[in-house]
Amino acid sequence: MQSEKLPEVQEGAPAKPIPSTVRVLEAVRELRAKNQIATRETVAELTGLKLSIVDDRLSALVGDVKLKRLLRGIYELVEEYPATRNISKTILDSGYIMIEIAGRDGSPDVVLHLTPSEDRALSMLSVGAAGQAILINSTNEHLYLATQLAARVERLERENKAYRALRPDGNQQALDLA
């Protein structure tokens, strides 16, 4: 995927207008660089474009997979990375660990020879990323379970209220024993 860039202006040449799609994408990039949320309103304010044009361009950029819609009216850049390179890790007879990362053309680009303690240190750093992924997944599962539990409690409270309404004397104990 290529990143759209602003057109270059040559000296003495009349400036060409910047396409609205590029203006909208650059505004989202600028907001992200400032750790701000890209809403349709903030993009319109930054670009000076009408909301209808911004909405149309945001939709087009979502369709082109350059942006993703997080919530209604809130957008985020889609990360663009080059193709993943081949990576190998070999434990050598000497006890050293060799990590090879292939270049874009397939030839070895980076070769690391690590001592066992260096390999363990690198592994601990990698575990941090894995731990973060596990934590995110666990948090999502807990939120799902908490949502289900809250819905069940709400349903039971409604049922309990309905049962109480059936008892004119409000005698809960008689209801519990029945």
Side-chain angles (χ1 to χ4, degrees):
M1 291 184 165
Q2 284 188 354
S3 179
E4 291 187 45
K5 296 188 179 192
L6 295 175
E8 291 184 27
V9 178
Q10 297 175 356
E11 263 187 64
K16 291 183 179 180
I18 300 169
S20 58
T21 305
V22 174
R23 289 169 62 186
V24 167
L25 186 59
E26 288 301 316
V28 174
R29 282 190 180 125
E30 185 178 330
L31 288 164
R32 181 181 194 175
K34 294 178 180 178
N35 290 323
Q36 294 182 2
I37 296 171
T39 65
R40 55 192 289 271
E41 291 83 6
T42 55
V43 171
E45 188 177 321
L46 274 176
T47 60
L49 298 170
K50 294 178 184 177
L51 269 177
S52 60
I53 294 172
V54 169
D55 288 339
D56 182 63
R57 297 299 77 213
L58 287 169
S59 292
L61 288 165
V62 168
D64 292 343
V65 195
K66 297 202 179 280
L67 295 179
K68 59 184 168 186
R69 186 177 287 113
L70 299 177
L71 296 169
R72 185 180 172 112
I74 300 177
Y75 299 85
E76 178 60 50
L77 288 171
V78 171
E79 296 294 337
E80 295 181 26
Y81 297 106
T84 302
R85 299 178 289 170
N86 292 329
I87 301 173
S88 68
K89 182 176 180 179
T90 308
I91 301 173
L92 303 174
D93 292 337
S94 63
Y96 278 86
I97 290 81
M98 181 175 65
I99 298 177
E100 288 183 275
I101 303 173
R104 298 281 171 225
D105 62 356
S107 64
D109 185 31
V110 176
V111 178
L112 299 173
H113 290 272
L114 305 174
T115 64
S117 62
E118 291 170 331
D119 182 52
R120 282 191 297 276
L122 183 59
S123 296
M124 286 185 350
L125 292 172
S126 297
V127 167
Q132 187 177 27
I134 290 168
L135 179 62
I136 289 169
N137 185 51
S138 176
T139 300
N140 288 341
E141 286 179 10
H142 283 98
L143 285 172
Y144 176 74
L145 290 173
T147 303
Q148 282 186 320
L149 184 59
R152 181 176 272 172
V153 167
E154 185 178 325
R155 181 181 55 82
L156 290 172
E157 285 176 344
R158 280 194 311 266
E159 287 177 8
N160 193 16
K161 186 176 180 180
Y163 286 137
R164 283 186 185 160
L166 294 175
R167 304 278 309 177
D169 61 354
N171 188 348
Q172 181 67 34
Q173 186 177 11
L175 183 62
D176 289 340
L177 297 175

